[in-house]
Amino acid sequence: MNIVVPVKLVPDLVEELEIDESGAALDTTWMRLMVNEFDDHAVEQAILLKERGGGQVTILAPDAEDVDDVLFTAAAKGADRLIKITGPFEEQVNNHALARSLAAVVEELQPDLVLTGVQAHNDLDGPVGPLLAEYLGMPYVGYVSGVTASDGNVVAQKEYPGGLLAEMEVALPAVLGIQAAEEPPRYVAFSRVRQAMKSADISEQAVAELDLSGSPTVGRMFQPEAGERATMIEGDEDEVATRLVEIFKDAGVL
Amino acid sequence: MNQDIYVVVEHLRGQAADISYVMLAAARVLAQGTGGNVVAVLLGHDAQELADDLAADQVLYVDDPALAEFTSDAYEKALAGLVEENAPRAVLFGDTSIGADVAGGLSAQLELPLVSYCQSVRADDGALKFVSQICGGKIMTEGDLPDTTTLVTMIPGGFKPEEGQSAQRPEVTPVTAPALEDLRVTLKQYIEPEVGDVDISTEPILIAVGRGVQSEDDVEFAEELAEALGGAVCSSRPLVDQGWLPTARMVGKSGKRVKPKLYLAMGISGAPEHVEGIADSELIVAVNTDPDAPIFDLAQYGADIDLYDLIPALAEQIRQAKGS
């Protein structure tokens, strides 16, 4: 099976986020990016499918700082082909524009299956998956945490609230939004990534222009107001524990 | 374009989801700004009674055997014509396993703008404002709904479900479904949730662990605390994906909703998907080394201390308190 996995980089939420001078965008000066965690699950699911049934896995990513590392890491995990999409991506590109750019490249690859993360934390105009599916004329199923391939279709395990699952049969070619791979994304040692850097190639495909239509305009960004915040308990672990015991007693749970 | 606000009602196996009522409450706020009606769109088969308690001015009911259970393909086909022909001011979907599967496709197909992660809306001097929560709850984004039919996917938190319920049955207008043929997505079967040894949705004391826990063995650490306190351990998604805890212990969007007397969140950042499951807790106490973690916006008490330092000290003091 020919599987394509588009991935994107997003701000690392472990770092402090700053809003820029315009007040309507994140300050990218010191922003550290990381691969969208759900995309990481999509990569893993693609490699699991390849290990089970053979085929080829192609990873696509729009250009960004450190994107080469992300692509080489995927190669070290077992991806066969790496494509970097270059273009004016340094601006705040929205998912409609990204999905249109991806669609042009994905179409030429003629995949049986496209796997992508079900969402990213900065998808203000919807996740990439359903948009991409529509631009490609393929069906879409999201919130997927398991995929079984058979002839001409796949059975996707779709998650609903409360732990309920639905088995959806999806005709190929199709796009699936991955919530979780069947196994946790594998760890690869840096030595293997370095090896991939020597042996794997990243091919580039240029996108000349981005069509940004389809996304709202942001008027203002802000951090959730302080004041609604928790009463913070200061002190070392013993002092915090003492206060917590009092709080638990007051709440009637101790 | 007319000034009505459409709400695509979400339901699963005969039951309307809470987000449907949350959306109706949001739609009312928008419709008061536009002077239009709140129109609920109900897709299903023999499902008309689901319209009974919707706080809508009108319900458009599309009945078709192909809509008996949710599939993205059938829903999208059924909605595309309806949205295009009627051109409402906005169409609200849940930012859920149902709504998010179709809103994007409709946005691309009908070339309509899409706003997601929307938590609240308001009408402000003729403008319709949205506030979306992005970056795992760390950033709020505000803007005007674009000046054309706009699709919106909503997360809970901005409106109470009760505000979208009504004792008065709304007017129901049957709408003929388009031909739902050549569907590329079909439901094979539902798989019932795993039944765990503990039902966390009824436990009065929960010790919740998240990404701050670094290894499977450390979950034991939390178990010890739970034992001292007389509660059960539950977790956010990452630990379940790692296989460290069974799915039955997962709290949040895809997991369980809990309503304990005490929710002690250890190493949980408070991503919206998790927070969704704990909003009904009586007391939330959060421990996280990141003082900016969104969980502190929800918790009544917090401490930015390492859970590995706190747990042994806390377990010890609880044992002492119980012994005395």
Side-chain angles (χ1 to χ4, degrees):
Chain A
M1 185 148 44
N2 180 6
I3 307 171
V4 171
V5 186
V7 303
K8 74 169 189 174
L9 276 67
V10 296
D12 185 346
L13 296 182
V14 170
E15 306 285 311
E16 197 173 333
L17 299 173
E18 304 264 2
I19 292 160
D20 72 6
E21 281 178 4
S22 77
L26 291 176
D27 190 341
T28 54
T29 323
W30 305 108
M31 189 186 280
R32 205 171 74 181
L33 296 175
M34 59 176 289
V35 68
N36 170 28
E37 60 171 309
F38 300 105
D39 291 344
D40 207 23
H41 280 269
V43 170
E44 182 62 35
Q45 187 62 54
I47 291 165
L48 290 173
L49 284 168
K50 176 186 147 180
E51 285 172 351
R52 285 205 298 253
Q56 191 184 9
V57 174
T58 304
I59 312 291
L60 291 184
D63 199 4
E65 201 179 327
D66 298 334
V67 73
D68 289 7
D69 293 349
V70 170
L71 289 168
F72 285 129
T73 303
K77 291 177 175 183
D80 305 280
R81 213 174 144 188
L82 311 173
I83 302 177
K84 177 160 71 179
I85 304 180
T86 62
F89 288 112
E90 63 282 359
E91 291 302 308
Q92 301 265 335
V93 54
N94 65 46
N95 281 346
H96 281 72
L98 178 58
R100 287 183 190 103
S101 307
L102 290 169
V105 180
V106 173
E107 200 145 42
E108 287 192 9
L109 296 169
Q110 298 189 311
D112 301 300
L113 189 60
V114 178
L115 301 182
T116 191
V118 65
Q119 64 183 53
H121 64 66
N122 63 351
D123 290 338
L124 184 61
D125 60 331
V128 171
L131 296 167
L132 177 61
E134 191 65 38
Y135 293 133
L136 292 168
M138 293 181 191
Y140 174 82
V141 173
Y143 289 76
V144 170
S145 57
V147 186
T148 313
S150 58
D151 209 19
N153 61 50
V154 291
V155 173
Q157 225 171 61
K158 178 178 176 63
E159 292 191 355
Y160 284 123
L164 180 70
L165 296 171
E167 278 188 356
M168 295 282 185
E169 189 173 271
V170 193
L172 297 178
V175 180
L176 301 181
I178 302 296
Q179 168 83 55
E182 287 154 33
E183 304 283 337
R186 66 194 69 193
Y187 170 78
V188 281
F190 186 67
S191 58
R192 291 191 47 206
V193 178
R194 208 156 38 196
Q195 229 167 17
M197 285 174 177
K198 289 183 190 140
S199 58
D201 279 325
I202 297 177
S203 63
E204 293 191 9
Q205 295 228 13
V207 173
E209 240 179 297
L210 294 178
D211 173 359
L212 293 162
S213 65
S215 179
T217 306
V218 175
R220 176 168 93 96
M221 262 188 198
F222 54 99
Q223 270 142 357
E225 274 88 359
E228 307 157 4
R229 291 179 70 83
T231 306
M232 298 303 278
I233 305 164
E234 308 295 335
D236 65 17
E237 60 267 23
D238 290 317
E239 288 161 328
V240 171
T242 305
R243 181 74 188 102
L244 285 179
V245 165
E246 287 167 17
I247 291 166
F248 295 166
K249 281 181 176 164
D250 289 345
V253 294
L254 195 68
Chain B
M1 183 174 69
N2 70 48
Q3 296 303 318
D4 293 344
I5 310 297
Y6 278 29
V7 170
V8 178
V9 176
E10 294 201 357
H11 56 96
L12 201 56
R13 303 212 290 177
Q15 204 159 16
D18 271 359
I19 193 73
S20 299
Y21 303 107
V22 167
M23 292 191 285
L24 287 166
R28 182 59 64 195
V29 169
L30 292 173
Q32 274 161 358
T34 64
N37 285 324
V38 172
V39 179
V41 181
L42 176 62
L43 310 180
H45 183 49
D46 295 333
Q48 193 176 332
E49 73 278 8
L50 287 173
D52 289 355
D53 68 343
L54 304 177
D57 300 309
Q58 192 192 6
V59 178
L60 300 179
Y61 175 52
V62 189
D63 188 299
D64 192 290
L67 297 170
E69 305 290 339
F70 172 78
T71 64
S72 50
D73 210 12
Y75 259 54
E76 202 178 313
K77 282 196 167 83
L79 287 167
L82 203 66
V83 171
E84 192 163 42
E85 278 161 38
N86 299 342
R89 178 66 186 86
V91 187
L92 312 186
F93 299 84
D95 207 319
T96 62
S97 193
I98 290 177
D101 262 24
V102 292
L106 287 168
S107 167
Q109 186 189 340
L110 304 175
E111 296 185 3
L112 297 174
L114 172 61
V115 178
S116 61
Y117 291 141
C118 175
Q119 191 176 47
S120 73
V121 293
R122 67 177 196 277
D124 204 0
D125 246 355
L128 302 179
K129 301 274 187 193
F130 69 88
V131 179
S132 290
Q133 191 186 44
I134 60 168
C135 296
K138 286 193 156 182
I139 297 285
M140 308 302 282
T141 297
E142 187 184 88
D144 291 353
L145 290 191
D147 209 9
T148 171
T149 298
T150 301
L151 311 181
V152 180
T153 59
M154 295 203 68
I155 60 172
F159 298 91
K160 290 197 166 64
E162 302 85 68
E163 297 169 49
Q165 284 166 346
S166 167
Q168 203 184 344
R169 200 178 290 180
E171 177 199 328
V172 177
T173 311
V175 176
T176 311
L180 298 174
E181 291 162 349
D182 303 323
L183 296 173
R184 299 164 298 176
V185 179
T186 44
L187 173 71
K188 302 291 285 177
Q189 61 168 334
Y190 287 114
I191 302 170
E192 298 301 325
E194 245 177 66
V195 181
D197 49 343
V198 173
D199 181 7
I200 56 168
S201 64
T202 58
E203 278 288 326
I205 298 175
L206 289 173
I207 314 298
V209 284
R211 234 187 270 266
V213 168
Q214 283 149 14
S215 81
E216 186 166 7
D217 291 343
D218 296 346
V219 175
E220 298 260 326
F221 216 38
E223 290 283 2
E224 244 181 78
L225 179 59
E227 206 171 294
L229 203 50
V233 172
C234 60
S235 86
S236 59
R237 173 129 217 158
L239 303 202
V240 173
D241 284 346
Q242 286 293 330
W244 296 350
L245 278 149
T247 312
R249 299 286 185 109
M250 182 163 75
V251 174
K253 193 170 180 177
S254 298
K256 294 229 168 75
R257 280 173 136 191
V258 298
K259 40 182 188 332
K261 288 176 76 148
L262 169 66
Y263 193 81
L264 179 56
M266 303 288 232
I268 284 183
S269 69
E273 293 78 16
H274 181 73
V275 162
E276 201 177 314
I278 66 172
D280 296 331
S281 304
E282 280 176 41
L283 174 66
I284 299 173
V285 176
V287 177
N288 199 303
T289 48
D290 174 9
D292 294 325
I295 189 76
F296 292 126
D297 295 328
L298 195 72
Q300 286 95 320
Y301 296 96
D304 57 348
I305 185 170
D306 192 327
L307 64 93
Y308 287 91
D309 294 332
L310 180 64
I311 287 181
L314 184 57
E316 180 53 33
Q317 291 207 25
I318 288 168
R319 278 191 287 263
Q320 279 175 16
K322 282 200 161 173
S324 64

